[in-house]
Amino acid sequence: ENQAMSSLSWMSAITTPASCALAAYIIYKSKPGSSLYSYHPTLMAAGWLALTPIAIDTLRASKKATSKEDKSKLVATHATLSSAVFVATVGGLYAIGRNKEINAAAKGQVAQHLVSRHGKLGAVCAALMAGAVAIGIFKSVTRGKSLSEPDYLWRNRFHRFLGAASYLVSGVAILQMVQSPWGKNNLGGPAGQKAVAAGIVAVQALTVTPLVF
């Protein structure tokens, strides 16, 4: 078990910085604030490519902590980061949804939401994450002494499954964004698209495999 945890630490030391670097590159290319749409790739990259791997790392670190207090603090950090990912996801979905409505209204049309595969995957990702967060809040609060003193030291397989599934779905959705015309125009053309896509596949595979097996 110690050897397995050591291997995970070694992988995290590579995959988490790499994923954060990918997030930083996408955010930079998104030019946040330049348009309402720009907040969609910005928030999704920040949430799923930067915050999520860090949240997973803190959860793994809690398993190596020797004291109950240290474990609780690390899991609480995981919960906070996961909540931030959910907020970023909702914000990203709102940005693209509102952008569609504004553009459609300017043409005298009615906006069509969740018609693309990318949009549907985004909605599924948000739903999975909402389920994981809801279970986390329910378990922590009901096991704790009060609302102000939640108990973070619990395990739930379904919560874990929802978290891992949302991360995988987010990766597919982001890959579709990378391979879209937006990705071609903003990520350095076909070569840039392939490089970013390969990076996302690699870091997600190395991050999520230990969660599943």
Side-chain angles (χ1 to χ4, degrees):
E1 183 178 354
N2 290 334
Q3 185 176 2
M5 291 305 295
S6 178
S7 297
L8 289 177
S9 298
W10 179 83
M11 282 196 298
S12 296
I14 296 175
T15 58
T16 299
S19 192
C20 289
L22 286 168
Y25 179 69
I26 291 175
I27 291 171
Y28 172 72
K29 289 296 185 177
S30 299
K31 301 176 182 178
S34 60
S35 65
L36 180 57
Y37 176 85
S38 70
Y39 290 107
H40 177 67
T42 294
L43 290 171
M44 293 306 190
W48 292 103
L49 293 179
L51 294 181
T52 299
I54 297 172
I56 293 172
D57 283 349
T58 58
L59 188 61
R60 287 174 178 164
S62 72
K63 296 179 181 179
K64 296 188 292 182
T66 55
S67 72
K68 184 177 180 180
E69 182 181 1
D70 288 341
K71 284 181 180 290
S72 184
K73 287 181 179 178
L74 286 166
V75 179
T77 300
H78 169 79
T80 300
L81 289 169
S82 297
S83 298
V85 173
F86 179 66
V87 171
T89 302
V90 173
L93 291 175
Y94 172 80
I96 194 169
R98 183 58 181 156
N99 185 67
K100 283 186 176 181
E101 290 177 353
I102 292 173
N103 289 338
K107 300 175 183 178
Q109 301 173 348
V110 177
Q112 300 294 317
H113 298 288
L114 305 181
V115 294
S116 68
R117 185 177 300 175
H118 173 73
K120 291 174 182 175
L121 283 172
V124 170
C125 176
L128 290 169
M129 190 59 181
V133 171
I135 291 174
I137 293 173
F138 177 79
K139 295 284 289 186
S140 298
V141 170
T142 56
R143 287 172 56 91
K145 295 179 180 179
S146 65
L147 286 174
S148 60
E149 295 183 74
D151 179 7
Y152 293 106
L153 301 182
W154 50 267
R155 291 186 180 183
N156 183 279
R157 289 184 178 180
F158 191 47
H159 169 79
R160 183 177 182 178
F161 167 77
L162 290 175
S166 65
Y167 182 56
L168 283 173
V169 173
S170 77
V172 178
I174 292 174
L175 282 173
Q176 289 188 335
M177 180 184 72
V178 169
Q179 296 299 331
S180 71
W182 178 89
K184 183 177 181 180
N185 294 331
N186 292 278
L187 300 178
Q193 287 176 292
K194 290 179 181 178
V196 173
I200 292 172
V201 170
V203 297
Q204 283 229 324
L206 291 173
T207 299
V208 82
T209 299
L211 296 177
V212 178
F213 301 102

